[in-house]
Amino acid sequence: MNALRRLWKGDLPLPQAFWNWAVAGGIVVNVLTSISFLALIMGDLIVAAFVVGYALSVPYNIVATVGVWRSAGHYEGERRWADLARIVTVGGMMLLSVT
């Protein structure tokens, strides 16, 4: 939980927040929830499918996006990398949240 708290506050280095939490974590969480969603839909468990599909992935995507955004604000390297990380994370997480 400490790492998640550090992510939320933007206390992680930008490369770690972006690559570990937004990219790798986002893929894992969203693939697993999508597979679970499809399995539950096929089992006619519609409400459970939507809970698993969205109530788990969307909060993760929000935390990862906020963490990257805040970490980018503390980034001391080239500003374009911080801006690019923000754009890619917001766009990617929005896409993952609706699929």
Side-chain angles (χ1 to χ4, degrees), residues 19-42:
W19 290 108
N20 295 357
W21 291 90
V23 175
I27 289 170
V28 169
V29 167
N30 288 283
V31 165
L32 291 176
T33 56
S34 293
I35 290 169
S36 300
F37 176 84
L38 292 173
L40 291 165
I41 287 287
M42 291 188 314

Side-chain angles (χ1 to χ4, degrees), residues 1-2 13-14 20 24 30 33 49 52 55 64 72 75 79-80 85 95-96:
M1 286 303 271
N2 189 36
L14 179 58
N20 295 357
N30 288 283
T33 56
V52 168
Y75 186 62
R79 194 81 238 140
R80 67 182 172 135
L95 180 65
L96 289 172

Side-chain angles (χ1 to χ4, degrees), residues 55-84:
L56 297 177
S57 64
V58 172
Y60 179 85
N61 294 343
I62 291 169
V63 169
T65 301
V66 168
V68 169
W69 192 275
R70 290 177 176 169
S71 291
H74 300 130
Y75 186 62
E76 295 179 2
E78 291 184 46
R79 194 81 238 140
R80 67 182 172 135
W81 294 117
D83 294 340
L84 187 59

